Amino acid sequence: MNGPVRVKEEAVCFGSDDSLIGVITSPTNPARGPTPTAFLFLNAGVTHHVGPNRLYVRLARALASQGFVAMRFDFSGLGDSSVRMDDLPVVQSVVDETRQAMDFLKSRRGTERFVLIGICSGATVSYMVAKEDRRVVGAAILNAQGHLHGTDPVRTAQLRDRTMARHSWRIALKSSFRSKNWRKAVQGQLKPLRILKMMVGTPLRVFLGRRGSADSDLAGDAAKDLRALAKRGVRLYHLYCEGDEGLDYFHVVLGAESDRIARGDGAEFEIVLGANHMFTLQWSQDHLEKSVCDWARSLP
Protein backbone atom coordinates (compact mmCIF):
# COMPACT_ATOMS: atom_id res chain seq x y z
CA MET A 1 0.00 0.00 0.00
CA ASN A 2 2.99 2.32 0.33
CA GLY A 3 4.52 4.38 -2.48
CA PRO A 4 3.06 6.95 -4.91
CA VAL A 5 -0.68 6.87 -5.49
CA ARG A 6 -2.24 8.29 -8.67
CA VAL A 7 -5.19 10.31 -7.41
CA LYS A 8 -6.49 13.85 -7.66
CA GLU A 9 -7.78 16.03 -4.83
CA GLU A 10 -10.19 18.96 -4.85
CA ALA A 11 -11.06 21.32 -2.01
CA VAL A 12 -14.80 22.08 -1.88
CA CYS A 13 -17.31 24.21 0.00
CA PHE A 14 -20.78 22.83 0.63
CA GLY A 15 -23.76 23.02 2.96
CA SER A 16 -26.69 25.39 3.09
CA ASP A 17 -24.41 28.47 3.17
CA ASP A 18 -21.19 26.90 1.84
CA SER A 19 -19.73 27.02 5.35
CA LEU A 20 -18.52 23.41 5.39
CA ILE A 21 -15.11 22.61 3.92
CA GLY A 22 -13.94 19.27 2.59
CA VAL A 23 -11.50 17.55 0.26
CA ILE A 24 -12.62 15.09 -2.42
CA THR A 25 -10.06 12.45 -3.39
CA SER A 26 -10.78 10.69 -6.70
CA PRO A 27 -9.10 8.26 -9.08
CA THR A 28 -7.01 10.02 -11.73
CA ASN A 29 -8.57 7.85 -14.43
CA PRO A 30 -11.97 6.66 -13.14
CA ALA A 31 -13.34 3.51 -14.69
CA ARG A 32 -16.39 3.77 -16.88
CA GLY A 33 -19.61 2.33 -15.59
CA PRO A 34 -21.79 2.89 -12.52
CA THR A 35 -20.92 5.74 -10.18
CA PRO A 36 -18.58 4.29 -7.54
CA THR A 37 -19.44 4.13 -3.88
CA ALA A 38 -18.19 7.17 -1.96
CA PHE A 39 -16.42 6.96 1.38
CA LEU A 40 -16.96 9.78 3.89
CA PHE A 41 -14.44 10.36 6.70
CA LEU A 42 -15.89 11.93 9.86
CA ASN A 43 -13.89 14.00 12.37
CA ALA A 44 -12.25 12.11 15.22
CA GLY A 45 -12.84 14.34 18.24
CA VAL A 46 -11.52 17.83 17.49
CA THR A 47 -8.94 16.61 14.97
CA HIS A 48 -9.55 18.26 11.58
CA HIS A 49 -10.11 16.44 8.32
CA VAL A 50 -6.60 15.03 7.93
CA GLY A 51 -7.45 12.64 10.76
CA PRO A 52 -5.27 11.39 13.63
CA ASN A 53 -1.69 11.00 12.39
CA ARG A 54 -2.95 12.02 8.92
CA LEU A 55 -4.68 8.65 8.65
CA TYR A 56 -7.71 10.03 6.81
CA VAL A 57 -5.47 11.45 4.09
CA ARG A 58 -3.69 8.13 3.72
CA LEU A 59 -6.88 6.05 3.69
CA ALA A 60 -8.69 8.39 1.29
CA ARG A 61 -5.83 8.21 -1.21
CA ALA A 62 -5.56 4.44 -0.87
CA LEU A 63 -9.28 4.03 -1.53
CA ALA A 64 -9.18 6.43 -4.49
CA SER A 65 -6.30 4.45 -5.98
CA GLN A 66 -8.69 1.48 -6.03
CA GLY A 67 -11.39 3.37 -7.92
CA PHE A 68 -13.49 4.76 -5.08
CA VAL A 69 -14.32 8.39 -4.35
CA ALA A 70 -13.44 9.59 -0.85
CA MET A 71 -14.35 12.80 0.91
CA ARG A 72 -13.01 14.04 4.23
CA PHE A 73 -14.55 17.17 5.70
CA ASP A 74 -14.84 19.20 8.87
CA PHE A 75 -17.96 19.51 10.96
CA SER A 76 -18.96 23.09 11.74
CA GLY A 77 -16.60 24.78 14.19
CA LEU A 78 -13.78 22.33 13.47
CA GLY A 79 -10.76 22.73 11.20
CA ASP A 80 -11.61 24.83 8.15
CA SER A 81 -15.41 24.86 8.55
CA SER A 82 -17.22 27.87 10.01
CA VAL A 83 -19.23 27.74 13.21
CA ARG A 84 -22.98 27.26 12.99
CA MET A 85 -25.16 30.30 13.59
CA ASP A 86 -28.15 28.36 14.94
CA ASP A 87 -28.81 26.54 18.21
CA LEU A 88 -28.98 22.99 16.84
CA PRO A 89 -27.42 20.60 19.38
CA VAL A 90 -24.11 19.14 18.23
CA VAL A 91 -25.43 15.57 18.44
CA GLN A 92 -27.92 16.56 15.74
CA SER A 93 -25.75 18.94 13.75
CA VAL A 94 -23.08 16.31 13.03
CA VAL A 95 -25.74 13.99 11.60
CA ASP A 96 -27.27 16.81 9.57
CA GLU A 97 -23.88 17.88 8.18
CA THR A 98 -22.94 14.33 7.22
CA ARG A 99 -26.16 14.09 5.26
CA GLN A 100 -25.38 17.44 3.63
CA ALA A 101 -22.05 15.96 2.51
CA MET A 102 -23.94 13.06 0.93
CA ASP A 103 -26.33 15.48 -0.77
CA PHE A 104 -23.37 17.42 -2.14
CA LEU A 105 -21.68 14.34 -3.60
CA LYS A 106 -25.00 13.28 -5.10
CA SER A 107 -25.34 16.62 -6.87
CA ARG A 108 -21.66 16.84 -7.85
CA ARG A 109 -20.87 13.20 -8.72
CA GLY A 110 -24.21 11.43 -8.87
CA THR A 111 -23.25 9.26 -5.90
CA GLU A 112 -26.06 7.27 -4.32
CA ARG A 113 -24.16 4.77 -2.14
CA PHE A 114 -22.04 5.83 0.81
CA VAL A 115 -19.73 4.20 3.31
CA LEU A 116 -18.88 6.12 6.48
CA ILE A 117 -15.55 5.85 8.27
CA GLY A 118 -14.60 7.32 11.63
CA ILE A 119 -12.25 6.86 14.55
CA CYS A 120 -13.59 7.32 18.11
CA SER A 121 -16.35 9.98 18.00
CA GLY A 122 -16.27 9.81 14.20
CA ALA A 123 -17.20 6.14 14.51
CA THR A 124 -20.12 7.03 16.77
CA VAL A 125 -21.46 9.55 14.26
CA SER A 126 -20.96 7.04 11.43
CA TYR A 127 -23.18 4.58 13.26
CA MET A 128 -25.81 7.23 14.07
CA VAL A 129 -26.08 8.31 10.44
CA ALA A 130 -26.13 4.72 9.18
CA LYS A 131 -29.24 4.09 11.28
CA GLU A 132 -31.02 7.15 9.91
CA ASP A 133 -30.06 7.37 6.23
CA ARG A 134 -30.74 4.53 3.82
CA ARG A 135 -28.08 5.78 1.41
CA VAL A 136 -25.47 4.41 3.79
CA VAL A 137 -24.47 0.89 2.71
CA GLY A 138 -21.56 0.41 5.10
CA ALA A 139 -19.67 1.86 8.03
CA ALA A 140 -16.19 1.26 9.41
CA ILE A 141 -16.54 1.69 13.17
CA LEU A 142 -12.99 2.22 14.48
CA ASN A 143 -12.45 2.32 18.26
CA ALA A 144 -15.97 3.58 18.95
CA GLN A 145 -16.80 4.25 22.60
CA GLY A 146 -20.39 5.43 22.78
CA HIS A 147 -22.41 4.50 19.71
CA LEU A 148 -24.73 1.74 20.96
CA HIS A 149 -26.74 3.35 23.75
CA GLY A 150 -28.20 6.67 22.57
CA THR A 151 -27.74 10.06 24.18
CA ASP A 152 -29.40 9.75 27.61
CA PRO A 153 -26.92 11.42 30.02
CA VAL A 154 -27.74 9.17 33.01
CA ARG A 155 -27.26 6.00 31.01
CA THR A 156 -24.11 7.45 29.47
CA ALA A 157 -22.62 8.12 32.92
CA GLN A 158 -23.54 4.63 34.17
CA LEU A 159 -22.01 2.98 31.12
CA ARG A 160 -18.90 5.10 31.44
CA ASP A 161 -18.40 3.86 35.02
CA ARG A 162 -18.98 0.22 34.08
CA THR A 163 -16.74 0.48 31.04
CA MET A 164 -13.89 2.01 33.03
CA ALA A 165 -14.28 -0.61 35.76
CA ARG A 166 -14.11 -3.45 33.23
CA HIS A 167 -11.20 -1.75 31.49
CA SER A 168 -9.35 -1.40 34.80
CA TRP A 169 -9.91 -5.06 35.65
CA ARG A 170 -8.68 -6.15 32.22
CA ILE A 171 -5.57 -3.96 32.25
CA ALA A 172 -4.77 -4.81 35.88
CA LEU A 173 -5.02 -8.55 35.29
CA LYS A 174 -2.96 -8.34 32.13
CA SER A 175 -0.35 -6.07 33.70
CA SER A 176 0.06 -8.27 36.75
CA PHE A 177 1.86 -10.84 34.63
CA ARG A 178 4.43 -8.41 33.25
CA SER A 179 7.78 -8.50 35.01
CA LYS A 180 8.43 -4.82 34.34
CA ASN A 181 5.31 -3.92 36.33
CA TRP A 182 6.47 -5.99 39.27
CA ARG A 183 9.71 -4.02 39.19
CA LYS A 184 7.80 -0.73 39.10
CA ALA A 185 5.69 -1.80 42.07
CA VAL A 186 8.79 -2.68 44.11
CA GLN A 187 10.40 0.65 43.16
CA GLY A 188 7.25 2.56 44.15
CA GLN A 189 6.50 3.76 40.63
CA LEU A 190 3.04 2.17 40.53
CA LYS A 191 0.19 3.26 42.77
CA PRO A 192 -1.83 0.07 43.36
CA LEU A 193 -4.19 1.75 45.85
CA ARG A 194 -5.28 4.20 43.19
CA ILE A 195 -6.01 1.34 40.79
CA LEU A 196 -7.89 -0.58 43.46
CA LYS A 197 -9.98 2.47 44.31
CA MET A 198 -11.31 2.50 40.73
CA MET A 199 -12.21 -1.18 40.99
CA VAL A 200 -13.59 -1.38 44.54
CA GLY A 201 -17.31 -2.02 44.64
CA THR A 202 -17.38 -3.27 41.06
CA PRO A 203 -17.94 -7.02 40.81
CA LEU A 204 -15.59 -9.08 38.70
CA ARG A 205 -18.53 -10.05 36.49
CA VAL A 206 -18.17 -6.60 34.88
CA PHE A 207 -14.79 -7.73 33.62
CA LEU A 208 -16.43 -10.94 32.42
CA GLY A 209 -19.04 -8.92 30.54
CA ARG A 210 -19.46 -11.47 27.79
CA ARG A 211 -21.35 -13.71 30.21
CA GLY A 212 -24.15 -11.27 30.81
CA SER A 213 -25.29 -7.67 30.87
CA ALA A 214 -26.53 -5.65 33.83
CA ASP A 215 -28.99 -3.91 31.52
CA SER A 216 -30.90 -6.43 29.43
CA ASP A 217 -33.09 -3.69 27.93
CA LEU A 218 -30.03 -1.84 26.70
CA ALA A 219 -28.48 -4.97 25.23
CA GLY A 220 -31.79 -5.79 23.56
CA ASP A 221 -32.13 -2.31 22.04
CA ALA A 222 -28.56 -2.32 20.76
CA ALA A 223 -28.95 -5.80 19.28
CA LYS A 224 -32.21 -4.75 17.64
CA ASP A 225 -30.52 -1.77 15.96
CA LEU A 226 -27.66 -3.95 14.71
CA ARG A 227 -30.09 -6.56 13.35
CA ALA A 228 -32.07 -3.82 11.58
CA LEU A 229 -28.93 -2.56 9.87
CA ALA A 230 -28.01 -6.10 8.82
CA LYS A 231 -31.51 -6.69 7.44
CA ARG A 232 -31.18 -3.47 5.43
CA GLY A 233 -27.96 -4.79 3.94
CA VAL A 234 -25.63 -2.35 5.72
CA ARG A 235 -22.13 -3.82 6.12
CA LEU A 236 -20.45 -2.97 9.43
CA TYR A 237 -16.77 -3.32 10.16
CA HIS A 238 -16.06 -3.14 13.91
CA LEU A 239 -12.35 -2.65 14.55
CA TYR A 240 -10.82 -2.14 17.99
CA CYS A 241 -7.27 -1.85 19.22
CA GLU A 242 -6.34 -4.40 21.85
CA GLY A 243 -6.21 -2.09 24.87
CA ASP A 244 -8.94 0.34 23.83
CA GLU A 245 -11.77 1.29 26.18
CA GLY A 246 -14.17 0.95 23.25
CA LEU A 247 -13.63 -2.81 23.28
CA ASP A 248 -14.76 -2.93 26.91
CA TYR A 249 -17.72 -0.68 26.09
CA PHE A 250 -18.78 -3.05 23.29
CA HIS A 251 -18.85 -6.03 25.67
CA VAL A 252 -20.42 -4.10 28.56
CA VAL A 253 -23.37 -3.01 26.37
CA LEU A 254 -23.99 -6.26 24.51
CA GLY A 255 -22.97 -8.72 27.22
CA ALA A 256 -23.53 -12.32 26.18
CA GLU A 257 -24.64 -11.17 22.72
CA SER A 258 -21.36 -9.43 21.87
CA ASP A 259 -19.51 -12.26 20.15
CA ARG A 260 -22.50 -13.41 18.12
CA ILE A 261 -23.49 -9.92 17.01
CA ALA A 262 -19.94 -8.85 16.21
CA ARG A 263 -19.71 -11.55 13.58
CA GLY A 264 -23.36 -11.64 12.52
CA ASP A 265 -24.89 -11.01 9.13
CA GLY A 266 -23.15 -8.21 7.29
CA ALA A 267 -20.70 -7.58 10.13
CA GLU A 268 -16.99 -8.08 10.56
CA PHE A 269 -15.01 -7.73 13.77
CA GLU A 270 -11.29 -7.33 14.32
CA ILE A 271 -9.02 -6.67 17.29
CA VAL A 272 -5.60 -5.24 16.41
CA LEU A 273 -3.07 -6.51 18.92
CA GLY A 274 -0.52 -4.00 20.17
CA ALA A 275 -2.05 -0.92 18.51
CA ASN A 276 -3.23 2.18 20.41
CA HIS A 277 -6.36 4.30 20.12
CA MET A 278 -5.06 6.62 17.38
CA PHE A 279 -2.85 4.09 15.55
CA THR A 280 0.34 5.99 16.36
CA LEU A 281 2.82 3.28 15.37
CA GLN A 282 3.68 2.97 11.69
CA TRP A 283 2.99 -0.76 11.51
CA SER A 284 -0.51 -0.23 12.93
CA GLN A 285 -1.23 2.41 10.27
CA ASP A 286 -0.07 -0.02 7.59
CA HIS A 287 -2.32 -2.69 9.08
CA LEU A 288 -5.33 -0.36 9.23
CA GLU A 289 -4.88 0.71 5.62
CA LYS A 290 -4.74 -2.86 4.40
CA SER A 291 -7.71 -3.92 6.54
CA VAL A 292 -9.94 -1.05 5.41
CA CYS A 293 -9.02 -1.44 1.73
CA ASP A 294 -9.57 -5.21 1.83
CA TRP A 295 -12.96 -4.65 3.46
CA ALA A 296 -13.86 -1.95 0.90
CA ARG A 297 -13.15 -4.31 -1.98
CA SER A 298 -15.44 -6.92 -0.42
CA LEU A 299 -18.45 -4.58 -0.46
CA PRO A 300 -21.11 -5.40 -3.05
Side-chain angles (χ1 to χ4, degrees):
M1 290 294 177
N2 294 321
V5 177
R6 298 180 61 82
V7 301
K8 57 184 177 181
E9 294 181 313
E10 174 190 9
V12 295
C13 303
F14 67 98
S16 56
D17 54 0
D18 282 342
S19 63
L20 300 175
I21 308 298
V23 176
I24 300 175
T25 307
S26 310
T28 302
N29 298 306
R32 295 182 179 181
T35 303
T37 299
F39 288 73
L40 292 181
F41 290 84
L42 308 185
N43 290 116
V46 296
T47 305
H48 70 304
H49 57 73
V50 302
N53 301 302
R54 291 183 60 82
L55 270 172
Y56 287 2
V57 177
R58 176 175 178 171
L59 292 174
R61 291 174 179 173
L63 289 166
S65 73
Q66 297 184 27
F68 298 106
V69 172
M71 179 176 173
R72 44 192 175 84
F73 71 97
D74 289 321
F75 291 129
S76 55
L78 291 177
D80 295 320
S81 295
S82 301
V83 298
R84 293 183 71 99
M85 302 307 293
D86 57 25
D87 58 357
L88 191 68
V90 67
V91 72
Q92 297 176 28
S93 68
V94 291
V95 173
D96 176 65
E97 289 164 8
T98 303
R99 300 178 82 167
Q100 287 183 49
M102 290 191 280
D103 294 340
F104 175 75
L105 283 176
K106 166 66 175 175
S107 64
R108 176 67 72 91
R109 302 292 182 93
T111 311
E112 296 183 342
R113 292 164 51 86
F114 297 89
V115 175
L116 308 180
I117 299 180
I119 296 174
C120 193
S121 62
T124 297
V125 179
S126 296
Y127 185 76
M128 291 165 58
V129 177
K131 289 197 300 180
E132 293 192 16
D133 199 303
R134 300 186 72 85
R135 293 174 293 179
V136 178
V137 298
I141 312 295
L142 313 177
N143 287 332
Q145 296 185 358
H147 58 304
L148 295 171
H149 69 274
T151 59
D152 178 73
V154 174
R155 176 169 276 178
T156 297
Q158 292 172 341
L159 281 173
R160 176 65 177 169
D161 288 345
R162 292 186 62 214
T163 295
M164 286 306 299
R166 186 185 194 278
H167 186 68
S168 297
W169 274 113
R170 184 160 65 91
I171 297 302
L173 291 175
K174 182 177 179 180
S175 298
S176 66
F177 294 99
R178 293 178 178 171
S179 60
K180 67 177 182 180
N181 288 325
W182 284 106
R183 289 196 300 270
K184 287 183 178 180
V186 171
Q187 296 167 2
Q189 296 176 34
L190 290 182
K191 301 185 185 304
L193 291 179
R194 182 178 179 184
I195 296 173
L196 285 172
K197 191 176 290 186
M198 293 179 64
M199 298 161 61
V200 160
T202 303
L204 187 57
R205 65 182 170 79
V206 173
F207 168 68
L208 303 172
R210 299 185 190 192
R211 300 186 180 279
S213 172
D215 190 336
S216 58
D217 289 339
L218 173 58
D221 290 344
K224 181 179 178 181
D225 287 341
L226 288 163
R227 284 194 296 268
L229 286 169
K231 185 176 181 179
R232 213 179 80 204
V234 178
R235 294 280 299 278
L236 296 181
Y237 180 32
H238 308 274
L239 184 146
Y240 289 100
C241 295
E242 178 185 17
D244 199 81
E245 293 172 25
L247 184 59
D248 296 288
Y249 167 83
F250 188 83
H251 289 303
V252 163
V253 172
L254 292 171
E257 296 286 295
S258 58
D259 285 337
R260 183 182 64 79
I261 290 174
R263 296 171 175 83
D265 294 339
E268 294 184 36
F269 189 87
E270 180 182 1
I271 299 174
V272 184
L273 303 181
N276 64 18
H277 184 66
M278 292 301 182
F279 303 91
T280 304
L281 299 177
Q282 183 66 49
W283 71 262
S284 68
Q285 297 175 23
D286 296 342
H287 181 94
L288 179 64
E289 179 183 332
K290 183 179 186 306
S291 294
V292 169
C293 288
D294 287 348
W295 176 72
R297 286 194 299 270
S298 75
L299 296 174

